[in-house]
Amino acid sequence: MDDLNIQQLQDKLKSSAEGLSQSEAVRRLTEYGRNELADKKTNQILKFFTYFWGPIPWMIEAAVILSALAQHWPDFAIILVLLLANAVVGFWEEHQAGNAIAALKAKLAMKAQVKRDGQWTTVESRELVPGDVIHVRLGDIVPADARLLDGDPLQVDQSALTGESLPATRRCGEALFSGSIIRRGEIDAMVYATGANTFFGKTAELVQVAHSVSHFQQAVLKIGNVLILLALALVTVIIAVALLRGDPLLTTLQFALVLTVAAIPVAMPTVLSVTMAVGARQLTRKGAIVTRLAAIEELAGVDVLCSDKTGTLTQNTLTLGDPFSVDSSGDDSGQGRVIFAAALASRADNKDPIDRAVLDGLSDGQSLDGYQVVHFQPFDPVHKRTEATVRGLDGLDFKVTKGAPQVIVALSANGAQVKTAVESAINGFAARGFRSLGVARMDAEDHWQFLGVLPLFDPPREEAKTTIATAREMGVKVKMVTGDQLPIAQETAKKLGMGSLILDASGFGTTTTQPSELLAESIEKADGFAQVFPEHKYQIVDVLQRHGHIVGMTGDGVNDAPALKKADCGIAVAEATDAARSAASIVLMEPGLSVIIHAIKTSRKIFQRMNSYAIYRIAETLRVLLFMAGSILAFNFYPVTAAMIVMLALLNDGAILSIAYDNVHYNNEPERWNMRVVMGVAGVLGVIGVISAFGLFLLGERIFQLDRSHIQTLMYLKLSVAGHLTIFLTRTRGPFWSIRPSRVLLLAVCGTQLLATLIAVYGWFMPPLGWGWALFVWGYALAWFLINDRLKVLTYWILQPKRADGGNP
């Protein structure tokens, strides 16, 4: 359709500048389908079978085959159950996590302004059809391929589609491609292609976003690799010794494989995805939608939060004060003329807070009826003003403009005459916390004449001061970022208790110049920044990151996108543009800073759960591996059978998923992945676990003189009970009772351990132990649990003495 002019396009689409009727749009939606790219549907059966393919499944499958060859049928059955259980649990949890994230992202569905039945309405972009007339403006992501109708040229960012680094100009009749971003201007356009038929749809592979792995996930996966290498090394030694002793080859290989499987953190990917997905749902309830799961960990570590002022720290409900008029008479009529001219340069349908405040400021005697806006140029961050061409009651056209006072003064023919008085008025308003808006009108000689200054007041949010104090207690420094003038920023910061060191960003220079060391230090020490342009935000984030900070940055405009991507955690505030939302890691659905603080608290809790799991997993692997290897090498005795190892892994991995729902307390300081502490605590718990296991082994054999088959059952129950009690040690930094576990975790652990006890007592797949010995094992394990708890607290005190205070790891 590129070769058709607008009229031919309208004829072909059977539409007009008035758009479609709702009934016709519904009919076309059925004909053309939704305006969205079809997701590649994965065959769920084939997806399920992928869980039987890979290094870990191969090892389990090899153990199944070896069990069959050795005719160890109980082992064969249990290992086969483990294989199927891992596949079912992994498939189901990944499926649930995927559904959860899809549901969250559905809340961020793009909207479009479309004309239906002659009226402008807002619909989801996926409901658009060819022939629809849409309205696009600054910050919008173009929802479908469209041709521009009558209006001023647009500046369009097509870099995601074409690689062009500079915005392109698009004029009436030219095409806008789906996925491009409006940088300047606003206009109506007619949709001619949707979904897979768009330029974006045909080149979708070129703009796929890579899924990054967070630092925390990388660290945990590295732990997994270390554990696998340790397991393989010890298993190699066991096989070599067994062969030298002349043990049966098949039995030795089967046991070695099963031991390796038990040592490998099979549940780790599942625990990661479940914990992150559960955390994302918790954040949604707080009004924050996560678009990238890895952002949860980054948000937990944020120690500097650069926050927009308007709408985040303030209410974004502007109120008009008494204007300053350059009219020497200084009467109400002069002030009324200033408000009236500003109202003519405003549009009610833009829902802009400044325009709304100006229009609300009209007196009862002032009416815009009869005045026709012939042309309207919307505000953009470059020119920093709006302009309207108006046809008056006398039929003559004139122009009015409003915007940044310094811009309007520079534009005006009388600017030099009024500059001193205007600056005095602006400073007076700023000292009282008012923003200033310059107003001018063009005279008969086509010269702009400055009329006056409108003061606008945006009061701080009621909870903002308390929230900032809470953030400070949590180790997060909040820095205000605003485009307002320095005195306004200082007054707002004073009211919010943020500090008085506010920098004027106009002196930062260009983003291409490297800031001096003195300027970089000033940025780090500053409490906030005034007269900030979008490019300054990127520079502020870069400097703070270079000084070792993990930075959160809020934004709402199209020009905030680079800073949101640059920040460790980009946060799009409520009512942000589509472009800002697409660049951010977290999107807020409610206004205010308190939503962000709630999100930080929640993300730190999620981090705690992952930290607990990492310590638990390392400690348990060390305990099982070292005890097994030591028993075989020192006593030529397999303390548990292959089937017992499989049941240990099955019960432990099944219950540990419940850690995603555990009760935790957030830390009052940003989280960092401290491998020294994690490995230190896990190492102590693991080694003490080996000592306690050998202690029970020697008691059973030397003191109570049990036969070796019953000792195996005894050791199975001990490893199971003591192993699961470990989670209650790793989930707190202080005594185990310092934080009550969640009901889900408690029920999961109690349920699996009741099952493990019944298996040992009644001898399912092993010699029966009886209730007397089972209670003895429980008592022994609980005694060591209390000893381990004291040793854990001591270890934290040695490794991190300042934080061994009863809090969480």
Side-chain angles (χ1 to χ4, degrees), residues 582-615:
S582 67
S585 302
I586 292 177
V587 178
L588 304 184
M589 305 305 289
E590 299 173 11
L593 186 66
S594 60
V595 183
I596 303 174
I597 302 304
H598 281 311
I600 291 175
K601 290 177 181 178
T602 303
S603 66
R604 289 186 185 180
K605 289 181 179 180
I606 296 164
F607 190 98
Q608 299 284 9
R609 296 181 183 116
M610 296 308 304
N611 209 34
S612 300
Y613 170 72
I615 297 173

Side-chain angles (χ1 to χ4, degrees), residues 217-235:
Q217 287 171 305
Q218 290 173 2
V220 172
L221 294 173
K222 283 179 183 175
I223 291 170
N225 292 336
V226 170
L227 297 180
I228 290 171
L229 291 174
L230 177 62
L232 292 176
L234 289 175
V235 164

Side-chain angles (χ1 to χ4, degrees), residues 751-769:
T752 54
Q753 290 321 296
L754 176 61
L755 181 58
T757 303
L758 292 174
I759 289 171
V761 168
Y762 294 107
W764 300 335
F765 308 109
M766 63 189 71
L769 198 60

